[in-house]
Amino acid sequence: MLKEIVQINSINVEKYCMKQELLNDCEIIIIKIDLSLDKNVKSYLLLSKLAKQKEILPLFVILNSTKDSQEKLKLLKNESYFIVESERMFEELYEEIVQVLNPKSDGDICLDIADIKTVLDYRGVAFFGSAQESTKDAALVAIEDAVKNANIKDHSLRDMQAVLIHFTIHPDYKLMKIAHAMEIFYENTHYDADIILGTTTDKNLSKEYVKAVVLLTGCDS
């Protein structure tokens, strides 16, 4: 069971740097940097270093990245970071990570902190996308839409060296359909990519409903 995820921002970063014992019950710290407001990125990097010394995973999420903020992003060259376009997307990413790491039933394909670390071991920009469908080929369509929503821009799936995919489905949803949908990654990502799959089942969902979440990393490695 996941112990704790802590959100770090401009309000509390100095507190956590000065009182490292506050991190003792954490497994992940999500470090949110608003590049339009935060001037001192080095404070976040110090906290990241302190977290790694405690074997805590730092996950950077960048808001309001522009061409003028590229110099600040260069400071994160040794970190893995997501760029999101809004607070809503940040909250969605946070909620998905919580769900991915907290399975609901014994029938789930469970993911843990080690799986997240495997994906985020690749430094540089990372991508996040999600989508939901209730069509006949819901798993495949949801995956395709999730990749589109990840907005990988100047990159392609072939560039990705690590992929984490998480499906939320009804317990009766056929795993063969999940396997078929996964072929998009086996056939189109880097030849040596780490591809990690997890599922969460929920009997309250429609039997045709599928939600897919993808984390894509390694394109800068």
Side-chain angles (χ1 to χ4, degrees):
M1 179 64 68
L2 189 66
K3 287 194 290 186
E4 187 175 353
I5 299 177
V6 172
Q7 291 189 31
I8 305 296
N9 53 40
S10 59
I11 296 174
N12 61 10
V13 61
E14 298 293 344
K15 179 181 74 173
Y16 278 92
C17 284
M18 295 178 66
K19 296 183 178 181
Q20 299 173 37
E21 64 273 15
L22 295 174
L23 298 174
N24 289 345
D25 290 328
C26 301
E27 286 189 304
I28 298 179
I29 58 171
I30 298 183
I31 302 175
K32 180 172 68 172
I33 305 178
D34 187 333
L35 292 181
S36 67
L37 299 174
D38 292 318
K39 306 300 181 183
N40 188 9
V41 175
K42 292 182 179 179
S43 293
Y44 297 104
L45 293 173
L46 173 60
L47 184 59
S48 174
K49 181 179 179 179
L50 295 173
K52 291 174 183 176
Q53 290 173 353
K54 292 176 174 288
E55 298 186 347
I56 298 166
L57 175 65
L59 189 160
F60 285 80
V61 183
I62 309 301
L63 281 80
N64 295 318
S65 174
T66 65
K67 290 182 179 180
D68 296 333
S69 59
Q70 293 306 302
E71 289 302 315
K72 291 182 180 179
L73 286 178
K74 288 180 181 179
L75 295 174
L76 300 175
K77 63 182 179 180
N78 293 320
E79 307 288 347
S80 182
Y81 59 90
F82 295 89
I83 296 177
V84 298
E85 297 178 355
S86 65
E87 284 283 348
R88 182 192 62 78
M89 288 184 64
F90 169 78
E91 292 298 332
E92 183 180 2
L93 174 59
Y94 174 78
E95 290 170 5
E96 291 299 339
I97 289 173
V98 172
Q99 179 178 345
V100 164
L101 294 174
N102 285 277
K104 289 185 176 181
S105 72
D106 293 338
D108 295 346
I109 301 174
C110 299
L111 299 174
D112 59 23
I113 192 68
D115 295 315
I116 301 290
K117 286 182 176 179
T118 296
V119 174
L120 296 182
D121 269 347
Y122 293 92
R123 297 177 177 88
V125 65
F127 301 93
F128 158 76
S130 66
Q132 48 192 326
E133 292 290 337
S134 296
T135 59
K136 179 181 178 181
D137 297 317
L140 178 60
V141 176
I143 275 293
E144 292 175 340
D145 287 348
V147 171
K148 290 177 184 176
N149 293 337
N151 196 20
I152 59 179
K153 296 181 179 178
D154 298 329
H155 301 283
S156 71
L157 279 180
R158 190 67 64 187
D159 299 324
M160 304 302 166
Q161 297 189 61
V163 182
L164 184 146
I165 310 99
H166 179 261
F167 291 95
T168 302
I169 54 176
H170 188 277
D172 292 338
Y173 195 83
K174 294 182 179 179
L175 291 181
M176 285 298 296
K177 292 184 177 181
I178 298 292
H180 175 64
M182 290 291 295
E183 291 178 7
I184 188 174
F185 299 110
Y186 296 127
E187 295 176 359
N188 295 290
T189 53
H190 189 275
Y191 74 93
D192 198 28
D194 290 306
I195 300 175
I196 301 171
L197 168 67
T199 64
T200 295
T201 55
D202 186 346
K203 64 182 180 181
N204 295 315
L205 297 174
S206 161
K207 290 186 178 182
E208 293 299 321
Y209 173 89
V210 174
K211 182 175 183 180
V213 174
V214 296
L215 304 182
L216 305 162
T217 66
C219 61
D220 290 339
S221 298

